[in-house]
Every structure is written in structure tokens, then in C-alpha cells.
Amino acid sequence: MTAIIHTRMLILGSGPAGLSAAIYGARAGLKPMVVQGIQPGGQLTITTDVENYPGFRDVIQGPWLMQEMQAQAEHVGAEMVWDQIVDVDLSQRPFRLTGDGGAVYTADTLVICTGAQAKWLGVEGEQQLSGKGVSACATCDGFFYRGKKVVVIGGGNTAVEEALYLTNHSQDVTLIHRRDSLRAEKILQERLMAHPHIKLLWNKAVKRFVGGGDPEGLVGLDLVDTVTGEESHIATDGAFVAIGHKPSTELFAGKLELDEGYVVVEKGTSKTAVPGVFAAGDVTDKLYRQAVTAAGMGCMAALDVERFLAEVDFEAAKAAE
Ligand code: NAP
């Protein structure tokens, strides 16, 4: 028989939002359980330098920051569970969730901190050459391109950071962007422009990832000029797609209100339309998407959970009188 694990506060996801919710929830005596998900520690585990998380004058490493957050959450009493939720039933109370190994969790409250995942371009050759020269994570795969030629596609902070990171391995990095200006922060743009090993290709969209060789690997990209329509080709050993992220909310489709995939919460709170279900971090944030804003939202969610449970307990005590 499947064991049913009950908790008053179940947190899905273990990035800055989930772990901050866990720290606050544990300190409020709620004994939160954190289902870590497919990428324990979240997106910061696949970044390197973190320079904008308050409290650290020197550059710190993303994976280290997440280890520290997890250690702090465990230290104050949160329980980490190595599992991935595959089914959620919000129509009954307590809520009922199923892990991919069949474990069943019931929860009085649920905090969704499932974050976001890298987007892909969806053009020819991308899927086929994924892992064979095409990647969405320079810090994971950049090492394989030591001394080789690489390109990064995108114009936001991620793309610029990835291009800069790749110069640790390659002396031939090209950033390809579909417009003629970047949306990345000024300070990052300045570093990019000043770097002797980075070139920029403006107004170019990727039409096709081209494979070759045996075993097959990426050999180049077919491009199209977004202004003139002219087609061109760039030879490369590696291509890093850095065009943004999409929220990880497939589990909640049809169960919670979503806006372009993001969980909708009541303004200024972490409350969804289902009482007892809260959301925090990138899964509900299409605007800021920073580690520190996610952590702040995790804190808000724990405080919202605490208030919600206090009301539930009060009503239950009144009914029992
Ligand atoms: P982003 O800011 O949404 O930028 C995505 C980039 O990809 C844009 O330049 C966009 O072009 C381009 N793009 C989108 N779809 C495309 C397509 N189909 N084909 C070609 N190009 C496409 O995403 P992000 O860089 O991943 O950043 C996400 C959030 O995380 C941002 O809020 C960012 O500030 C934050 N972040 C912060 C840091 C940091 O603080 N150090 C680091 C990483 C990320 P257009 O410009 O033409 O729209």
C-alpha cells in the first residue's frame, strides 16, 4: 500500500523562493516539506558568478548560495524530499499530490515555487542537435568548447552573461541578436562590448541549426537578416540559446488561473484563487525574475500560509466548541 505523507505546508521547488518559504515556514513552527523537483536549487545552480545578491561584497557562486540556503532551511527544521510531483489534485482537502515514484503527499497548504525553464527557438535542427553542439546552459556545457568557436543567441542578461562566461573557455564568441540593441543591463553591455574575444551580429535570426560529421554534431547556423531578409551562414562548434524562460506550470493547467503560463496571484500577495494555494518566485513573475525578488516572494508566501492556517485553526476550534 502506498504510504501517504501529510504536511501542513508543502513547498514545490527548491530555488530561492522555495527555500526562503521553507526558512520562514520552519521558523513559524509549520514543519514545511520541500519537494525539490527536477533541478534541486533551481536556476542558480546552473549559473556561476552572482554579484547582486545582497550581503556579499565579493562575487559568490550560484550553486554555493543555494547550498547555503538549503543548509539554513534544514537547520531551522524544513524537510527536503528528493521527488518530482507528477499529479496535483486541488479539488479535495487536504490537497493531494503524487510523486513520480508513486508517493502520495497530502497538504493543508501548497506553495508553488516551481520556477521557470529555458526557452528554445523551435527551428530546424535545434532538437536534433541538442547535446551535440546546441545547449541552453553555458555554465553546464561551456567547458566542452575549450579553444573552439561558439555563438550565443539572445539579447538579454542571460545571453550577455553566457557570452562573457564562455570567454573563459573560448577566444571566439559571437553574440547573435535579432535586433540592433540589447535589453541586458548597461553594466553587462559595457563588459560585452569591451571584451576582445566577443563579436556581435545584429539583426540576425536563426533559421536552421546545421549538423555534420560522424558522429553528427553542430557545424554551423543558417541565419536570416531581420531587416533585409538576406540569408547567411556562420560556422560554429557550439550554439547556446539564451532567449528567456517559460514558467514550469504544466501541472497546474486547468487547475489554477495562468497568464501566459505564469500562476496568477492576488496583487501584492502570494495568494492564488484557490484558498490555501500560494505561488512565489519566477513561476508567478514575468517582470523581475531575480534571485532576491524570488526569495522575497518566498518569504511573503510563508507569511500568507501562516495567516491562512491560523484562520483555519481558529475556525476549527470555534466549530469544536
Ligand atoms: P529576457 O530578458 O526575456 O531576454 C530574452 C532575449 O532573447 C531578448 O533579447 C529577446 O529579444 C531574445 N529572444 C526572445 N525570443 C527570441 C526568439 N524567438 N528568437 C530570437 N531572440 C529571441 O530573458 P533573460 O535574458 O533570460 O532574462 C530573464 C530575466 O532574468 C530578466 O528579468 C533578467 O533581468 C533576469 N536575469 C538577471 C540576471 C542578473 O541580474 N545578473 C542574470 C540573468 C537573468 P528581444 O530583445 O528582441 O525581445
Side-chain angles (χ1 to χ4, degrees), residues 131-156:
K132 299 174 189 162
V134 178
S135 166
C137 177
T139 48
C140 318
D141 301 328
F143 178 79
F144 301 115
Y145 299 93
R146 188 162 285 274
K148 295 188 175 171
K149 195 174 150 95
V150 292
V151 303
V152 176
I153 300 125

